């Protein structure tokens, strides 16, 4: 199932508060009650056309976004780094999250800003020390993220919190696919229509079971926490007012605009 979070447009007649729903095959949305991470998926009789909804980030991370660095060998090579022996983790604040179609705002401190296409894991249950063979029990589903990064500030600071922590630096969406099984699906980024990143998820050094096991061995994961799993080679800057689109087969397309440079 494709779980969406959205604001109905006025003509849908469903009020103006954000709602959750299931995106059906015919591009209609069936409204569900409450937050599916806490209340499960309970469909209501209310429906609307996808064109009468503005999609939002499909999950609000209440506590954290955990990110994996250098998880594709070709990207580690382009960064001039050795392959990591265990996952390298960092945290993006939840205030970085924006939805599909929202604008990535170029911060004044950043000389340039890069895209990074990533598979995103949405955690569905409170968990700690999850064995590799049990990670599917704690995963609600998958979506995509753009781990927007100021490469200059990343190098200057020697750690990554500022470079990856500005508001709007984590577009998420367009929906959560609850039946997705990571395998050899293609992951791509296009910038103004031109392909910049093109890889397969099976190129990841640490795969999803190892990642969830490792991160949950460090910290308790809560429902709605998001783990983003690293980016393949081909990173580069987004010009002002460009359009960046991230795709993973089976997860749709996450498209965002970049603001003017301040
Ligand atoms: Mg990244």
């Amino acid at each position: 199932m494709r779980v969406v979070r959205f604001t109905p447009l006025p003509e849908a007649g469903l009020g103006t508060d954000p709602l959750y729903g299931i995106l059906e095959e015919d591009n209609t949305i069936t409204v569900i009650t409450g937050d599916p991470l806490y209340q499960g998926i309970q469909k209501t009789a209310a429906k609307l056309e996808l064109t009468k909804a503005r999609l939002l980030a499909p999950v609000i991370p209440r506590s954290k976004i955990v990110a994996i660095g250098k998880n594709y060998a070709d990207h580690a090579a382009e960064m001039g780094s050795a392959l990591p022996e265990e996952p390298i983790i960092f945290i993006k604040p939840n205030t970085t999250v924006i939805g599909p179609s929202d604008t990535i705002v170029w911060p004044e401190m950043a000389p340039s800003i890069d895209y990074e296409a990533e598979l995103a894991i949405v955690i569905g249950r409170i968990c700690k020390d999850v064995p590799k063979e049990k990670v599917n029990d704690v995963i609600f589903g998958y979506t995509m993220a753009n781990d927007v990064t100021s490469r200059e500030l990343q190098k200057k600071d020697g750690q990554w919190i500022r470079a990856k922590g500005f508001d709007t630096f984590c577009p998420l969406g367009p929906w959560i696919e609850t039946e997705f099984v990571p395998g050899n699906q293609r992951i791509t980024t296009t910038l103004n229509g031109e392909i910049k990143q093109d890889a397969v998820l099976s190129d990841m050094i640490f795969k999803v079971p190892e990642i969830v096991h490792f991160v949950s061995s460090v910290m308790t994961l809560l429902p709605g926490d998001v783990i983003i799993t690293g980016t393949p080679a081909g990173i580069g800057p987004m010009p002002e007012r460009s359009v960046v689109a991230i795709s993973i087969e089976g997860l749709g397309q996450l498209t965002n605009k970049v603001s003017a440079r301040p």
Side-chain angles (χ1 to χ4, degrees), residues 17-254:
D17 290 339
L19 296 168
Y20 289 90
I22 302 301
L23 179 59
E24 311 284 2
E25 295 294 333
D26 63 358
N27 275 341
T28 59
I29 296 171
T30 304
V31 178
I32 59 177
T33 52
D35 182 334
L37 281 165
Y38 296 91
Q39 278 98 39
I41 293 172
Q42 299 173 58
K43 290 187 178 183
T44 69
K47 270 182 173 279
L48 70 160
E49 301 289 327
L50 177 59
T51 53
K52 291 184 177 154
R54 189 172 82 83
L55 293 186
L56 307 170
V59 57
I60 310 166
R62 270 99 172 153
S63 76
K64 55 197 171 291
I65 301 154
V66 184
I68 311 293
K70 298 172 187 165
N71 198 27
Y72 288 78
D74 54 357
H75 172 60
E78 76 180 345
M79 295 289 286
S81 307
L83 293 189
E85 285 172 14
E86 51 186 5
I88 298 166
I89 62 175
F90 60 98
I91 285 187
K92 283 170 87 84
N94 56 8
T95 41
T96 55
V97 172
I98 57 172
S101 308
D102 287 341
T103 299
I104 298 164
V105 179
W106 191 320
E108 223 169 308
M109 284 181 194
S112 69
I113 53 175
D114 275 23
Y115 52 81
E116 289 189 2
E118 309 205 6
L119 173 71
I121 305 165
V122 180
I123 298 296
R125 286 173 50 181
I126 185 167
C127 59
K128 180 79 173 70
D129 298 320
V130 183
K132 284 178 203 167
E133 61 277 11
K134 298 261 188 190
V135 299
N136 285 339
D137 295 352
V138 305
I139 295 173
F140 179 76
Y142 294 87
T143 186
M144 292 178 287
N146 186 349
D147 177 18
V148 179
T149 303
S150 161
R151 209 60 68 191
E152 291 89 352
L153 298 181
Q154 185 182 24
K155 284 178 186 145
K156 185 178 180 185
D157 291 354
Q159 44 82 8
W160 307 349
I161 294 180
R162 176 168 64 145
K164 291 169 173 282
F166 290 100
D167 288 0
T168 76
F169 269 30
C170 194
L172 275 183
W175 48 71
I176 301 168
E177 175 56 75
T178 59
E179 275 136 76
F180 185 79
V181 179
N184 60 356
Q185 293 92 347
R186 193 172 168 209
I187 175 169
T188 59
T189 299
T190 64
L191 187 65
N192 290 333
E194 190 186 328
I195 291 193
K196 296 289 188 181
Q197 292 185 291
D198 192 353
V200 286
L201 296 180
S202 48
D203 288 345
M204 286 197 283
I205 298 168
F206 302 105
K207 309 285 194 293
V208 168
E210 209 158 1
I211 289 170
V212 175
H213 167 68
F214 183 84
V215 174
S216 71
S217 302
V218 178
M219 63 190 83
T220 299
L221 295 171
L222 303 181
D225 280 350
V226 172
I227 304 176
I228 63 175
T229 55
T231 200
I235 54 164
M238 300 180 285
E240 62 176 348
R241 299 189 178 89
S242 56
V243 175
V244 60
I246 287 166
S247 298
I248 294 176
E249 284 173 303
L251 294 180
Q253 188 173 65
L254 172 65

